[in-house]
Structure formats: structure tokens, C-alpha cells
């Protein structure tokens, strides 16, 4: 319990900082971000608050940033795009505000991005999301993004899990981009409970030969389900929720 002391900045050789689940309170001292040898920061499930310092961009060796389950607020700093080694960002269950930073598109090594159940929406998903060509797992559950899905999602050719479910306020609108059919490594595509997401199911989804889960339950996606998708039920697809096959 207690606060992270500013003296942590004196631990100049520190490579991994794991303080998860310790009931820590207060703000993260800026001195933490002077530890340029850090490869992992795990502050998961504490009671930390305040801003995510802009100094995050100084950490050129940082691979993993896990700050799930706190009360961080304010904008996600654009400087996060300068931490070019990042492979995992987990900042779900916080209180960030402002817009989804387009600078995240600079993180060409990013494999997992998790911003589920933020207490505020972060606006539309920027087109720069298509620059994350190494990403395998993108989780934006719970009304984190608004508006229409950008066609640039179709550039994420390594992605395996795309989850934008549980948008209870219906802030995701428009139609399913046909370009999602290009994601041939995709195994799970989940839009459960996005009641303002409509239009037809693109027949191009029939190209998703690695797909095991497609969930369109409680959306406004129109029937019938294309035969190209129903034929996937004869292959790897085991769950086609909201389909009319």
C-alpha cells in the first residue's frame, strides 16, 4: 500500500518493475520514467490515479506496459508513440479521456493493445491503426471507440483476435468493413452487443478460413448470412452467433 516513492528514480539499473495488486495510491512519479533500462512496467490492479506522464516516450527499451485496473485519467499521451519498442499495452479499466491517439500507429512492434472498459469513450478509431502491422490481439470492449470502423483495419494481416464487444451505449456505428475479410489469420471476431452496427455481413468474411468465433449477436447486421460464411461452419468455425445459417 501507499505511494510509489519518487526515489524510485535512483534505481537506474532496473529492468522490470512489477507492483501489481499492491493497493498503491496516488500518482506515478515522473522519476519512474527516467529509468531508461526498463523493459516492463506492471502496475496492474492498484488504485493509482492522475495522468499517464508524457515521459513515457523516453522509455525506448520498454516492451510491456500494463496499467490495467487503476484510475488513470486525462488523455493518453501522444508521446506513447515514441516508445518504439512497445509490444504490449494494457491500460483497460481506467478513466482516460480525450481522443484515441493516432500516434499509437507509430508502434510497429505492438502485438497486443487492450483498452477495455475505459470509463470514457475515446472517439473514432484513427486510420493510423492500420499501421500496426505486427498486432495480433486488439481489444476495445465497452464503448471505448465511437463512429464507423476504418477500412484500414484490413491492413492488420497478423491479427488473430479483434474484440469490440459490449458497447452498451451503441457508440459504434456504420457497417462492417469488407476489408476485414483480408485478415486470414483472424480466429476470433467479436462485435457482441453493438446495436447500432448494421448493414450486411460482407461475403468477403468467407475468406476468413482461420475463424473459430464470429459473434454478431445484438447488432443490427442484416440477414441473411452469406453462404460463404455458412460454409466456414464446415471447417474451423465453431461459433457463428447472430448468424442465420
Amino acid at each position: 500500500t501507499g505511494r510509489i516513492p519518487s526515489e524510485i528514480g535512483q534505481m537506474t539499473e532496473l529492468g522490470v518493475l512489477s507492483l501489481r495488486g499492491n493497493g498503491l495510491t496516488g500518482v506515478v512519479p515522473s522519476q519512474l520514467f527516467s529509468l531508461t533500462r526498463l523493459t516492463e512496467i506492471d502496475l496492474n490492479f492498484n488504485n493509482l490515479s492522475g495522468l499517464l506522464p508524457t515521459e513515457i516516450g523516453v522509455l525506448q527499451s520498454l516492451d510491456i506496459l500494463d496499467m490495467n485496473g487503476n484510475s488513470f485519467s486525462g488523455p493518453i499521451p501522444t508521446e506513447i508513440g515514441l516508445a518504439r519498442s512497445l509490444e504490449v499495452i494494457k491500460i483497460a479499466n481506467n478513466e482516460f479521456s480525450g481522443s484515441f491517439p493516432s500516434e499509437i500507429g507509430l508502434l510497429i512492434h505492438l502485438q497486443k493493445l487492450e483498452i477495455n472498459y475505459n470509463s470514457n469513450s475515446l472517439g473514432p478509431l484513427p486510420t493510423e491503426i492500420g499501421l500496426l502491422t505486427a498486432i495480433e490481439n486488439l481489444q476495445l470492449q465497452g464503448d471505448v471507440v465511437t463512429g464507423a470502423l476504418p477500412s484500414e483495419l484490413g491492413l492488420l494481416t497478423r491479427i488473430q483476435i479483434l474484440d469490440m464487444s459490449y458497447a452498451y451505449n451503441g457508440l459504434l456505428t456504420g457497417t462492417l468493413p469488407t476489408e476485414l475479410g483480408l485478415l486470414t489469420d483472424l480466429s476470433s471476431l467479436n462485435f457482441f452487443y453493438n446495436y447500432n452496427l448494421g448493414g450486411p455481413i460482407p461475403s468477403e468474411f468467407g475468406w476468413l478460413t482461420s475463424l473459430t468465433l464470429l459473434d454478431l449477436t445484438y447488432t443490427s447486421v442484416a440477414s441473411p448470412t452469406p453462404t460463404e460464411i455458412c460454409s466456414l461452419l464446415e471447417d474451423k468455425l465453431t461459433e457463428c452467433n447472430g448468424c442465420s445459417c
Side-chain angles (χ1 to χ4, degrees):
T1 60
R3 295 172 174 260
I4 301 174
S6 60
E7 289 81 4
I8 198 169
Q10 299 172 16
M11 304 175 68
T12 55
E13 300 298 314
L14 191 65
V16 175
L17 177 65
S18 181
L19 297 172
R20 64 163 50 210
N22 278 292
L24 296 170
T25 58
V27 301
V28 176
S30 60
Q31 290 85 348
L32 171 62
F33 298 94
S34 67
L35 304 178
T36 55
R37 297 194 178 188
L38 279 173
T39 60
E40 179 177 351
I41 297 175
D42 186 350
L43 301 176
N44 199 331
F45 292 112
N46 284 288
N47 297 306
L48 297 166
S49 58
L51 303 177
L52 181 57
T54 58
E55 290 87 352
I56 186 72
V58 175
L59 301 182
Q60 297 297 301
S61 298
L62 191 65
D63 298 324
I64 299 173
L65 177 65
D66 188 348
M67 294 183 165
N68 279 353
N70 284 282
S71 297
F72 290 111
S73 59
I76 300 172
T78 59
E79 288 83 359
I80 200 169
L82 299 176
R84 300 295 177 87
S85 294
L86 274 170
E87 298 178 359
V88 175
I89 297 176
K90 298 170 66 178
I91 51 175
N93 297 98
N94 279 288
E95 301 172 10
F96 292 111
S97 58
S99 60
F100 199 107
S102 60
E103 288 79 4
I104 281 183
L106 298 173
L107 302 176
I108 59 174
H109 301 293
L110 194 64
Q111 298 175 25
K112 182 173 185 176
L113 177 59
E114 183 178 308
I115 319 182
N116 301 329
Y117 302 109
N118 191 65
S119 62
N120 303 299
S121 296
L122 299 176
L125 199 59
T127 58
E128 288 83 357
I129 199 76
L131 299 174
L132 300 179
T133 52
I135 202 160
E136 299 176 356
N137 190 328
L138 179 57
Q139 296 189 39
L140 302 170
Q141 299 174 20
D143 284 307
V144 172
V145 294
T146 66
L149 295 170
S151 60
E152 286 80 4
L153 284 170
L155 299 174
L156 308 181
T157 54
R158 295 186 184 179
I159 197 166
Q160 299 174 21
I161 297 172
L162 177 56
D163 192 338
M164 296 186 180
S165 57
Y166 296 100
Y168 291 119
N169 294 318
L171 299 182
L172 200 62
T173 60
T175 61
L176 294 168
T178 59
E179 290 83 359
L180 293 179
L182 300 173
L183 307 179
T184 54
D185 285 346
L186 196 63
S187 62
S188 179
L189 181 58
N190 193 346
F191 289 106
F192 175 81
Y193 216 108
N194 276 274
Y195 57 83
N196 281 327
L197 188 64
I201 305 175
S203 61
E204 288 84 354
F205 281 18
W207 301 340
L208 301 176
T209 54
S210 298
L211 202 62
T212 60
L213 168 67
L214 175 62
D215 199 333
L216 300 172
T217 313
Y218 298 118
T219 68
S220 296
V221 173
S223 296
T225 302
T227 56
E228 291 89 345
I229 297 171
C230 294
S231 65
L232 294 177
L233 288 167
E234 302 171 5
D235 192 13
K236 291 184 178 181
L237 186 62
T238 56
E239 295 184 64
C240 195
N241 303 324
C243 301
S244 57
C245 299

